[in-house]
Amino acid sequence: MAISSAFEKAIAENSPQLNGSESGGESPQKNLKPLRATRFSEIEAKLVKWLWPPFIALGTFNLFEGEEGIGKTFVSCAIACGVAAGKGLPLVPKEEHIEPSNVVLISAEDSLSYVLKPRLESMDAPCERIIGCEEPFALNPEGIVRLKMLLAEFEPKLIIIDPLFSYTGRINLDRDSEIRSVTDELKRLAETFECSILGIRHIGKSKGFGDARNAGLNGIGWRASARSVLLVGKNPENESQRAIIQTKNNLAPISEKAIGYKIADGKFHWTGESDLTAKTVLSSIRPETSEETSEKQDAMSFLQETLNKGRQPTKDIQADARQCGISDATLRRAKTALNIQSIKDASQNGKWFWQLPEDAPEDAQKKQGEHLQLNNTNKTSYTNNLTEDAQGVTSEHLRTCSNCNLEMKLVENGTLWFCPMGCGSIKVSQEKSEIPEEVKDENNFENDQ
């Protein structure tokens, strides 16, 4: 087939079919033009320009994440101060300092007058170059246009959005296509204005079970879209020891050096290089609060009542749970606690279903609905928060509890076996405890099930 005829066939198969009145009597294909494309021989190769090498590059969307109360806002103010002053960012040689540049701080949680201004002044920040915005808006088409107008007016080199999810509107934060509707626009803005956009987000209660790829809240698409991801955390054995650790870098090797900091007497201080790692700061799991435990138990009762009738479509369960006021995160924790299975039915066009575990005795299923006990060895609350692939790994990743004969689960980055009934735990050797690569991101809740 000739190229022209193949082209015409492709257009015919993929174009909307309009009647004569709608198309003016002409074939709609005649008005179409091919997608714009350029030969790579005509494309100019460009070097990456850094705002803070190797942590933040110009023209990119990036993430800055950490648990609540760790000092993310204080650190973001320190970064803003360094950019505005053109100096003071750690690990940047004097000859590589950027020119003093404008910074935009978009804040939904902290008052510009009562919180951010005092913190900036405590750092001797050049406040004339730091612009604050606390007006509510959403990163929808209208909000993107308004943000573009703000960037055109002040021409900042850094925009910090704190927190990112306060500005995402009503999109599904777990659905990749809706995530991209936000991150793609932010990426275009960063490229157009040659600036860096830094979105701040919290990490989950499980801290990704020690894996930084799974630590951040909501879908994996947020991390996938970011060119650099910075994790801020502390040493669980020494809360005064805190640091920024890079956990992703698409434009250069990940920095092997963590950046230490401290907050003392209401003032922020960089403390130089730190030996903290992502694994260290993500190693401890915060126990559930009484409110979270109550919410999970309600969700477990909802799931048991729903699934006692047999397997049900995943999306129907999620929709019914939301109508009952059960969040996706709480539903996920309840699902994991009950060891509910996810089944993909090929006869139903690959539709996902949830069902109670087939191989668990009825009394065991009831026991798993009770409040989970604390482990007697280290008082860590067992959450059993593994995804389907992790629950279905091969026998070398499963053990049986000598007390109750239930299968134990490998968690905490593959270093501890926990009994689902809280009987105890067994520490295993590091070389035999790796979680298989096929274990999925625990945040990708709705897309794959």
Side-chain angles (χ1 to χ4, degrees):
M1 183 182 295
I3 293 180
S4 58
S5 59
F7 178 78
E8 291 174 357
K9 181 180 180 182
I11 291 295
E13 291 175 348
N14 293 282
S15 297
Q17 298 300 312
L18 304 177
N19 57 38
S21 60
E22 292 174 320
S23 61
E26 295 183 359
S27 170
Q29 290 89 340
K30 292 184 178 180
N31 298 321
L32 294 176
K33 296 180 180 180
L35 296 172
R36 293 189 301 271
T38 307
R39 298 180 188 275
F40 273 95
S41 59
E42 301 172 6
I43 295 176
E44 178 186 0
K46 296 182 179 179
L47 296 176
V48 176
K49 295 182 180 180
W50 294 96
L51 182 72
W52 181 19
F55 300 103
I56 303 175
L58 291 170
T60 62
F61 165 70
N62 310 274
L63 283 177
F64 184 58
E65 53 193 25
E67 62 183 316
E68 183 180 2
I70 198 65
K72 295 187 297 298
T73 302
F74 242 129
V75 177
S76 64
C77 284
I79 296 173
C81 179
V83 173
K87 59 183 180 181
L89 289 173
L91 300 187
V92 179
K94 186 175 181 179
E95 62 274 12
E96 294 182 18
H97 285 169
I98 64 169
E99 292 294 323
S101 306
N102 285 349
V103 176
V104 169
L105 292 179
I106 300 174
S107 178
E109 294 182 346
D110 296 305
S111 166
L112 302 185
S113 301
Y114 291 102
V115 178
L116 297 182
K117 180 65 180 291
R119 291 182 180 181
L120 291 169
E121 286 184 331
S122 72
M123 303 174 188
D124 296 323
C127 291
E128 68 277 6
R129 295 197 191 96
I130 303 178
I131 298 93
C133 174
E134 56 184 353
E135 180 181 353
F137 72 98
L139 291 168
N140 53 25
E142 177 183 320
I144 289 293
V145 170
R146 297 185 68 199
L147 180 57
K148 184 183 297 185
M149 294 168 68
L150 181 117
L151 301 189
E153 179 180 358
F154 293 103
E155 298 182 340
K157 287 299 182 184
L158 175 64
I159 302 94
I160 297 175
I161 306 176
D162 182 14
L164 176 62
F165 296 145
S166 289
Y167 298 93
T168 48
R170 297 184 177 181
I171 70 167
N172 186 324
L173 298 174
D174 292 310
R175 191 182 299 279
D176 193 69
S177 59
E178 297 188 41
I179 292 170
R180 300 287 179 168
S181 70
V182 172
T183 59
D184 286 355
E185 289 296 335
L186 292 177
K187 175 187 173 184
R188 292 188 190 98
L189 283 180
E191 291 176 346
T192 299
F193 291 93
E194 201 175 53
C195 62
S196 304
I197 298 179
L198 189 63
I200 297 179
R201 71 168 177 172
H202 295 295
I203 63 175
K205 299 178 184 70
S206 70
K207 297 185 179 181
F209 292 97
D211 189 339
R213 294 171 297 181
N214 301 334
L217 287 179
N218 303 118
I220 195 173
W222 299 105
R223 180 181 174 88
S225 301
R227 299 302 84 189
S228 174
V229 179
L230 305 177
L231 171 69
V232 58
K234 62 188 177 184
N235 186 339
E237 298 180 358
N238 182 2
E239 293 200 359
S240 64
Q241 187 181 3
R242 305 183 180 194
I244 301 174
I245 302 127
Q246 189 172 52
T247 64
K248 177 185 176 181
N249 191 341
N250 281 121
L251 303 174
I254 291 179
S255 175
E256 297 179 356
K257 299 176 181 178
I259 308 299
Y261 71 92
K262 68 177 181 179
I263 301 170
D265 300 324
K267 292 187 176 182
F268 179 90
H269 306 274
W270 296 111
T271 58
E273 294 182 24
S274 170
D275 58 2
L276 281 181
T277 64
K279 182 177 179 180
T280 299
V281 303
L282 297 173
S283 61
S284 62
I285 301 175
R286 179 178 67 79
E288 290 181 339
T289 65
S290 58
E291 181 180 359
E292 290 167 343
T293 299
S294 176
E295 291 173 349
K296 184 179 71 174
Q297 288 176 334
D298 290 342
M300 291 166 69
S301 298
F302 163 80
L303 285 175
Q304 286 177 316
E305 181 179 349
T306 301
L307 296 177
N308 277 337
K309 298 175 285 188
R311 74 175 192 174
Q312 301 293 327
T314 299
K315 292 187 180 296
D316 290 352
I317 296 173
Q318 293 169 347
D320 291 344
R322 289 168 189 150
Q323 288 185 348
C324 293
I326 300 172
S327 69
D328 285 352
T330 300
L331 188 68
R332 178 169 61 241
R333 290 188 293 119
K335 171 180 178 286
T336 304
L338 291 171
N339 199 24
I340 287 171
Q341 299 174 345
S342 291
I343 306 296
K344 191 174 185 179
D345 193 337
S347 65
Q348 298 284 338
N349 295 322
K351 194 173 184 178
W352 283 96
F353 293 82
W354 284 3
Q355 67 181 33
L356 293 171
E358 296 177 347
D359 56 349
E362 185 177 350
D363 58 341
Q365 293 177 13
K366 291 180 180 179
K367 284 183 180 180
Q368 288 182 332
E370 298 172 359
H371 175 58
L372 296 175
Q373 304 173 20
L374 290 178
N375 176 281
N376 293 327
T377 302
N378 57 12
K379 304 299 181 185
T380 301
S381 178
Y382 168 67
T383 63
N384 190 25
N385 195 12
L386 295 178
T387 52
E388 286 63 57
D389 290 345
Q391 293 168 3
V393 294
T394 57
S395 59
E396 64 177 333
H397 291 279
L398 296 175
R399 290 192 180 185
T400 302
C401 176
S402 59
N403 185 45
C404 64
N405 288 326
L406 287 179
E407 287 180 346
M408 302 181 76
K409 301 297 181 181
L410 185 62
V411 295
E412 294 220 356
N413 203 26
T415 60
L416 284 174
W417 292 94
F418 278 94
C419 171
M421 302 312 299
C423 298
S425 64
I426 303 174
K427 190 170 183 64
V428 295
S429 59
Q430 183 65 35
E431 64 271 12
K432 295 182 179 179
S433 63
E434 294 180 359
I435 297 178
E437 285 296 325
E438 65 266 24
V439 175
K440 291 182 181 177
D441 186 325
E442 68 165 341
N443 294 318
N444 199 5
F445 177 50
E446 184 171 342
N447 295 344
D448 60 359
Q449 301 174 31

